[in-house]
Amino acid sequence: MTVIQRPQDKLRTPKPLKKPARFTPPWPLNLYQTAIGKKWVMGLTGLGLVGFVVAHMIGNLHLYEGQLEVAEYAHSLRTIGAGLVPETAVLWVLRLGLISMFGLHIHSAITLSAMNRAANSRYQAPRDFAAANFASRTTRITGIIIALFVVWHLADLTWGFTGGFMGWRGDGFNHGDPLWNVDNSMSNVVIAIWYMIATTAVAVHLFHGIRSAFISIGLSSPKFNPLIKPLAAGIAGLVLVGNLSFPIMVMTGALEADEPLDVHELIATEFKEAAE
Amino acid sequence: MEETLNITLKVWRQDGPDERGRFETYDAPNIGTDMSFLEMLDVVNENLNEDGNEPIAFESDCREGICGTCDLMIDGKAHGPEKGTATCQLHMRKYSDGDTIVIEPFRAASFPILKDLAVNRSALDAIVMAGGFISVNTGAAPDANLIPVPKEASDQAFDAAACIGCGACVAACPNSAAQLFTSAKIQHMNLLPQGQAERWKRTEAMVETMEMFFGSCTNHGECHDACPKEIPLDLIAWTNRDYIKSKNKNRKLAGQKG
Ligand code: SF4
Ligand code: FES
């Protein structure tokens, strides 16, 4: 893009903040070079991740069914489409989709933030914001909390690295036994509080993110707008209540596992029967 | 009898584009409540002049809310506390005796300060010059209503066309994004039949010029709140949609060139 300048403007139009791109990839990749294209990516990946967060929260509710049932649910996730493709193949396709959505979401956030920092010049007196709310002003902070939390959460409840973490955690990690692991992790007050902070950060992030995504991908109209805020608040609230309940229930002792399950044994026997 | 106020001002003073600025405090005694904000500044400037001091540089032109020249950041709000009005339409009756008012210029990396409260907003002109027009062959004026326009489209185009180009949306935005201004300037033509011929060229050119100077929108909505014409946020969404389409359409049109 070249800036048109009338001769008398030569001195007046400020220098562009952005240099023209040296190399333009073919469509549609060139969209990602522009801020609005990045916002589309951010909005679409964001909505995809919202879908994941909601599905994850609903899946978590299996914890309330009992130790055996939630282990069976976990097993069935790992073996989606097991009759047709190798075990965990479908799961890995889903996981790769999730990882790339996370990656793109974070990358576009970082590059857009850098652009905004360059375009900004700080006011010397305090600002009086009218429309920007707590959620919208803190998306970057809640985003960083969520990114850290995701790493922790995988280490804690997927990989089990935190099994003997500084002696904080109870009786170690039992692969494929969610209730046992959740109970052991969240019986520690510090870990439970960290889960609650992160869950709150997710909800706050979603509240602004969902509303924002609709504008970024051009879904906004006088008729549709009054629905967007309640929708965002509803989804954020649902995720918040659902996910906060787990650390709270573990601490009150309502969610408890007495014995680790012998998951290998179960896969060979009961889960197989259930599948058939 | 007319009431009068005694106001204290904290005003940003900066001698030139590359000088260091600072806040200076001035007394504004005996300000009539019927005065506009700019008239109050005029009084302060007269006093400064009489004492042999440099008056405060600020911009204004029409003083009736239609030109978009009067840009002040008043107590951390673009165009001051009153909603839907430009600085010149803000009146001193909004304030009470003894108030302290902080006045800063509009700030953004692409709004360099010229002097005191006056900033250079030529970057906004660059966006309009990139495509904020329709090309018509002049001749006899066409008959009125020759081209039918749906009522909804004409209403929305009018809402968008109300933008006076003041730049308050940029000043209010925590990211210094110019999306509300650019969207208003794009959509008041994209919504009408007369704007269709250059729709995709216009959208691509104006958005990409905007991105050279300004930040990117994170959908806070501060711009709409500061805007003296209350330009709707929907225009931003529609521009986001048009821009994505334009990249594809312009590519196809380019392919048709022999
Ligand atoms: S959109 Fe509103 S705030 Fe922005 S330049 Fe136009 S009139 Fe001013
Ligand atoms: S001086 Fe023209 S809009 Fe205020």
Side-chain angles (χ1 to χ4, degrees):
Chain A
M1 219 54 267
T2 49
V3 178
I4 306 169
Q5 290 195 328
R6 297 168 302 183
Q8 67 267 37
D9 286 335
K10 273 267 151 64
L11 286 170
R12 298 182 53 228
T13 306
K15 265 223 284 316
L17 304 170
K18 205 170 104 178
K19 287 197 200 76
R22 246 174 288 132
F23 156 78
T24 315
W27 187 89
L29 292 179
N30 61 353
L31 288 173
Y32 196 69
Q33 279 187 324
T34 70
I36 290 192
K38 286 202 175 92
K39 273 156 50 93
W40 270 78
V41 169
M42 164 120 45
L44 291 174
T45 53
L47 289 180
L49 291 168
V50 170
F52 165 73
V53 168
V54 171
H56 188 357
M57 190 280 287
I58 293 173
N60 285 348
L61 294 176
H62 285 282
L63 283 171
Y64 290 119
E65 283 182 352
Q67 193 176 9
L68 193 67
E69 285 78 0
V70 69
E72 189 178 341
Y73 164 69
H75 179 70
S76 66
L77 278 186
R78 250 173 275 124
T79 52
I80 304 174
L84 297 169
V85 288
E87 238 178 58
T88 74
V90 175
L91 185 68
W92 269 107
V93 171
L94 293 176
R95 278 176 177 167
L96 286 178
L98 209 53
I99 292 169
S100 41
M101 283 202 282
F102 257 113
L104 284 170
H105 196 77
I106 292 171
H107 183 262
S108 53
I110 291 173
T111 48
L112 286 175
S113 300
M115 175 179 173
N116 291 345
R117 251 197 311 279
N120 212 321
S121 127
R122 299 255 156 248
Y123 283 96
Q124 307 293 312
R127 284 292 312 274
D128 179 8
F129 289 111
N133 53 31
F134 177 74
S136 77
R137 305 266 312 143
T138 54
T139 30
R140 281 174 206 140
I141 298 164
T142 49
I144 292 169
I145 296 178
I146 294 168
L148 294 175
F149 170 72
V150 166
V151 176
W152 155 266
H153 189 45
L154 286 171
D156 183 32
L157 290 177
T158 302
W159 303 322
F161 289 169
T162 53
F165 186 54
M166 292 162 72
W168 277 12
R169 251 183 93 162
D171 300 318
F173 187 82
N174 184 24
H175 196 86
D177 185 359
L179 187 60
W180 173 257
N181 295 329
V182 165
D183 184 16
N184 273 319
S185 167
M186 296 183 195
S187 324
N188 182 306
V189 184
V190 179
I191 296 180
I193 289 175
W194 167 223
Y195 269 98
M196 295 203 289
I197 292 173
T199 304
T200 314
V202 170
V204 172
H205 198 81
L206 288 196
F207 178 65
H208 178 67
I210 293 172
R211 280 199 305 152
S212 186
F214 279 108
I215 301 180
S216 290
I217 63 171
L219 289 180
S220 176
S221 75
K223 229 196 286 170
F224 193 52
N225 289 343
L227 300 176
I228 293 182
K229 205 170 175 180
L231 180 79
I235 295 180
L238 201 73
V239 169
L240 182 69
V241 171
N243 280 344
L244 270 186
S245 76
F246 305 112
I248 292 175
M249 286 305 169
V250 168
M251 281 199 294
T252 58
L255 264 184
E256 214 179 2
D258 303 324
E259 290 284 317
L261 293 175
D262 187 347
V263 181
H264 287 293
E265 172 76 31
L266 285 167
I267 290 172
T269 57
E270 286 202 35
F271 291 170
K272 211 171 198 164
E273 279 162 33
E276 276 155 17
Chain B
M1 227 200 63
E2 196 194 11
E3 254 185 90
T4 57
L5 311 171
N6 295 311
I7 304 275
T8 312
L9 296 180
K10 270 181 76 187
V11 183
W12 183 259
R13 299 302 305 261
Q14 184 169 333
D15 300 333
D18 302 318
E19 310 289 328
R20 272 182 81 88
R22 76 259 160 212
F23 278 110
E24 297 218 347
T25 312
Y26 300 101
D27 285 329
N30 296 324
I31 299 297
T33 44
D34 287 346
M35 281 186 193
S36 77
F37 199 84
L38 298 182
E39 281 165 343
M40 183 270 293
L41 284 177
D42 289 339
V43 171
V44 173
N45 272 349
E46 267 168 35
N47 292 344
L48 283 173
N49 236 343
E50 265 165 34
D51 301 344
N53 292 326
E54 182 81 9
I56 305 162
F58 67 92
E59 286 186 278
S60 78
D61 190 16
C62 69
R63 301 218 172 180
E64 58 179 17
I66 55 169
C67 73
T69 319
C70 54
D71 286 352
L72 298 178
M73 202 74 185
I74 303 166
D75 286 336
K77 275 200 142 117
H79 289 308
E82 185 130 2
K83 239 183 107 74
T85 53
T87 303
C88 56
Q89 299 288 289
L90 173 66
H91 285 87
M92 294 312 293
R93 54 179 157 270
K94 269 257 141 184
Y95 293 93
S96 32
D97 200 34
D99 277 358
T100 301
I101 307 175
V102 183
I103 312 176
E104 250 191 288
F106 278 9
R107 287 188 199 272
S110 292
F111 281 176
I113 293 178
L114 298 170
K115 190 175 171 118
D116 297 343
L117 302 172
V119 299
N120 173 2
R121 284 165 292 158
S122 312
L124 296 182
D125 299 339
I127 298 175
V128 172
M129 277 189 273
F133 48 79
I134 58 166
S135 308
V136 288
N137 293 322
T138 52
D143 282 345
N145 298 335
L146 195 62
I147 304 172
V149 180
K151 171 87 169 74
E152 292 75 14
S154 95
D155 283 353
Q156 279 161 346
F158 264 118
D159 283 351
C163 167
I164 55 177
C166 61
C169 41
V170 179
C173 178
N175 309 313
S176 299
Q179 271 228 277
L180 197 63
F181 166 81
T182 311
S183 302
K185 294 295 175 212
I186 291 176
Q187 291 302 332
H188 79 103
M189 290 176 198
N190 282 9
L191 286 162
L192 293 176
Q194 291 87 338
Q196 295 312 305
E198 287 150 307
R199 180 173 186 170
W200 310 114
K201 237 175 84 184
R202 166 186 312 122
T203 310
E204 184 175 352
M206 289 179 74
V207 165
E208 287 177 13
T209 309
M210 167 187 87
E211 290 183 0
M212 290 171 66
F213 293 104
F214 297 103
S216 102
C217 176
T218 52
N219 307 315
H220 289 293
E222 274 305 321
C223 50
H224 170 69
D225 211 84
C227 175
K229 299 295 156 190
E230 303 188 297
I231 301 291
L233 283 177
D234 291 334
L235 300 181
I236 294 182
W238 299 344
T239 300
N240 289 343
R241 198 158 64 193
D242 278 1
Y243 178 68
I244 292 290
K245 278 196 205 149
S246 79
K247 282 300 239 192
N248 185 26
K249 299 232 163 146
N250 291 340
R251 174 183 69 108
K252 288 190 178 154
L253 291 174
Q256 283 166 5
K257 275 192 223 143

